[in-house]
Amino acid sequence: MAPPAAPPRSVLTSSFSLLSAGLSSAASDGTCLLVFGGGGGASKTGVPNALVVTRLTSSLQMSLVGEHRTALAPVQSLAVSGGGQVLVALQGPDVVVYNDVSRPATQPEGASWDTIATVDKKRPAPSPLYSAPDVILRGPPADPDADGIRKPRNPEVYSVALSPCGSMVAIGVDDGTLILLRRTATAGGFGAAGGSAVAHEAGGAAGGGPAAGCTWTGAGGWVESFRAKQHARDLKSLAFSHDGACVATAADDAHCLIWPTAAAAVAPTPAAVPQPRFVLHNLVTPVPTRRGKPLPRTAAWRCIAMGPPPAEPGAHAAGGLLYGALNHAAGVGWLARVGVAAGGTAARMLAHVKVTPHRLTSVALSADGVIVAAGTNEGEVVLLQVRGGRPRGVEGAGGDQAPTRAR
């Protein structure tokens, strides 16, 4: 007899840190696959590392599917394909891919909200929901002697993104390198990519060059399409367009770039996303300082999300819309709306809105591109609705209502 299902909840509380989450598109029954990833240190603390798998109903209630533990590797970043078949995750230093994610195994012991990420010597660990993932990129081994000053450390993976159909994985490295992997048509996996992938010897740039030490493995039919370094600092956020024709990257160097993903013999030349001018804001805001010295009145891209092309004509966004969180040097969080040309060949700033006096840390977009959610470093969630091509509260849009806030 199967154990009773855990009752639905709207809030998930875990004993470990939830570091990332991924949401699929709605299935025919109206539910979405919602997966959380995190970790508590495993062997050092006794709190396990795991994926927590739920199904989100149309009434915004989470039904618990189960917990898939990841041994000694915490899940630091993850993404789910639109159909929910493929999940890519940064587990420890490595990038892994889970297949058939929408069809998890049944856990005979049942799933309970109260036992997530807990260890009980009298109760065995939950049985796996999924088979072992494909390790598609191995990060550099830990070097205890590397302090970044006397001995440089190897670059490490910082973020991952998955194309909507699950055929491409974008990997951001903390030296500013972008690595694009593509699933070959011969792999027989979900969303196999069309066209021809660039032939590289498995091993990637292990010996030198961009992201030295991050080694492509060739597992699961994934091949490296290209790797390129155009950012000067940590590549913090990545997002694919709705059709997978381009991928956007945002880094700590205050730049946001759009990369075409069509297979090519060399890395493509990215298009730079322009920043808002912040003319009025700079006039009325005191000059930011650090340790008594003035700072330039600039803003840094923190995180990005991409959605479908807008309905309004003349938006110059045939390739989709990009929403980016920008943190001004004065500490103010802004949200920018950018039109992307077809294939990611160009980008145009359409609008920007002052969202919060705090720094933005995350941004998410509804499937239809109408609702934008942004999180701040003060635990605040800000919701904005796009009307007539402009988010509510855009500077100079007179009469727009203030964004909705929640804590």
Side-chain angles (χ1 to χ4, degrees), residues 7-199:
R9 286 188 178 183
S10 58
V11 177
L12 167 62
T13 303
S14 170
S15 60
F16 65 8
S17 299
L18 296 173
L19 304 175
S20 187
L23 181 68
S24 73
S25 301
S28 57
D29 61 357
T31 64
C32 304
L33 191 70
L34 176 58
V35 184
F36 300 91
S43 61
K44 293 183 179 179
T45 63
V47 179
N49 306 306
L51 294 168
V52 180
V53 184
T54 70
R55 292 195 183 278
L56 185 67
T57 67
S58 57
S59 59
L60 301 182
Q61 294 288 307
M62 292 181 292
S63 297
L64 180 62
V65 175
E67 173 189 359
H68 180 87
R69 296 197 174 172
T70 57
L72 300 181
V75 182
Q76 303 170 71
S77 179
L78 68 85
V80 180
S81 64
Q85 300 101 330
V86 183
L87 183 148
V88 61
L90 173 58
Q91 285 185 192
D94 304 326
V95 179
V96 304
V97 169
Y98 291 88
N99 296 306
D100 291 327
V101 178
S102 60
R103 296 192 291 269
T106 301
Q107 294 180 323
E109 65 276 7
S112 168
W113 295 105
D114 298 328
T115 60
I116 290 177
T118 60
V119 176
D120 186 345
K121 294 181 179 179
K122 298 181 180 179
R123 185 181 66 248
S127 54
L129 291 174
Y130 307 114
S131 57
D134 294 323
V135 181
I136 62 173
L137 189 88
R138 291 200 179 277
D143 185 353
D145 297 327
D147 57 7
I149 301 175
R150 290 171 296 180
K151 184 180 180 182
R153 60 178 182 82
N154 284 324
E156 298 176 351
V157 176
Y158 192 100
S159 54
V160 295
L162 186 64
S163 63
C165 65
S167 65
M168 289 179 287
V169 172
I171 301 169
V173 186
D174 64 5
D175 70 343
T177 298
L178 169 66
I179 303 174
L180 184 71
L181 300 182
R182 189 185 303 270
R183 175 170 273 174
T184 60
T186 57
F190 295 100
S196 59
V198 180

Side-chain angles (χ1 to χ4, degrees), residues 386-400:
V386 178
R387 291 181 179 173
R390 301 177 69 91
R392 290 191 294 175
V394 170
E395 190 174 45
D400 283 347

Side-chain angles (χ1 to χ4, degrees), residues 252-277:
D252 255 356
D253 59 0
H255 292 295
C256 181
L257 303 176
I258 309 290
W259 303 74
T261 58
V266 295
T269 300
V273 177
Q275 278 202 12
R277 298 180 62 186

